[in-house]
Amino acid sequence: MNTQRISQHWMGIGGARPQLVATFYCRLFERHPRFRPLFPEPIDHQMGKMLETLALVAEHADAPGAVHPRLRRIGAAHDRYGLTAADFDDFIEVLIETLSEYSAREWCEGCEQAWREALQRVVLPAVREGMH
C-alpha cells in the first residue's frame, strides 16, 4: 500500500475536501437510497466526521494504532444497521469515484490502487471489528 501517494493525493485536494465529502454523500444517497435513512438531517455533523476520518486515514494508513480506535468506534456506531459486504463495496466505489473527480490532474491508477488498498486492508477490517 502506497501511503505516501494517499497522503500526497489528499493534500492535493486541499480546500476542496469539504465539497468532496458533500458530493460523496449526495452521490451515495442518489445511487443507493437505502443509505439515506442511516444519516439523519442535518448531515453537516456527519460530513465533518467523514472529513476527519478521511484525513486520519490519508495521514496514518500505515500506522494502525493511530487509525484503528476511531475506525472501531465507527463500526460500533454502525453495527445496529446490519451492513453487508455489498454495502461496504458500494460505499467504496462511490468514494473512489468521488476522490478521482476532485483530483483529476493528480489521479492515476496508482492513486486508485493506494486508496482501495487502504480502504480494504485498513479501514474495513477495523470497522468490521468494531461491529462485533
Side-chain angles (χ1 to χ4, degrees), residues 3 6-7 10 17 48-74 115 118 122-123:
T3 56
I6 294 168
S7 180
W10 184 250
R17 292 181 203 134
K49 292 192 307 188
M50 176 70 160
L51 190 56
E52 290 171 5
T53 301
L54 286 172
L56 185 66
V57 170
E59 291 301 313
H60 302 290
D62 58 348
V67 295
H68 280 193
R70 181 182 184 98
L71 296 172
R72 283 192 295 266
R73 285 192 305 275
I74 290 169
W115 275 104
V122 176
V123 175

Side-chain angles (χ1 to χ4, degrees), residues 106-117:
E106 296 88 17
W107 192 255
C108 63
E109 188 176 313
C111 284
E112 179 173 346
Q113 180 179 351
W115 275 104
R116 279 190 189 280
E117 287 177 0

Side-chain angles (χ1 to χ4, degrees), residues 17-88:
R17 292 181 203 134
Q19 185 59 37
L20 178 148
V21 172
T23 299
F24 163 77
Y25 278 111
C26 285
R27 189 167 290 153
L28 182 70
F29 300 152
E30 192 175 276
R31 292 195 186 151
H32 308 286
R34 70 185 182 280
F35 287 115
R36 187 65 194 102
L38 306 182
F39 301 96
E41 294 286 348
I43 195 163
D44 296 349
H45 180 68
Q46 177 61 36
M47 289 193 312
K49 292 192 307 188
M50 176 70 160
L51 190 56
E52 290 171 5
T53 301
L54 286 172
L56 185 66
V57 170
E59 291 301 313
H60 302 290
D62 58 348
V67 295
H68 280 193
R70 181 182 184 98
L71 296 172
R72 283 192 295 266
R73 285 192 305 275
I74 290 169
H78 290 79
D79 185 42
R80 62 184 165 180
Y81 301 120
L83 298 173
T84 66
D87 293 327
F88 289 116

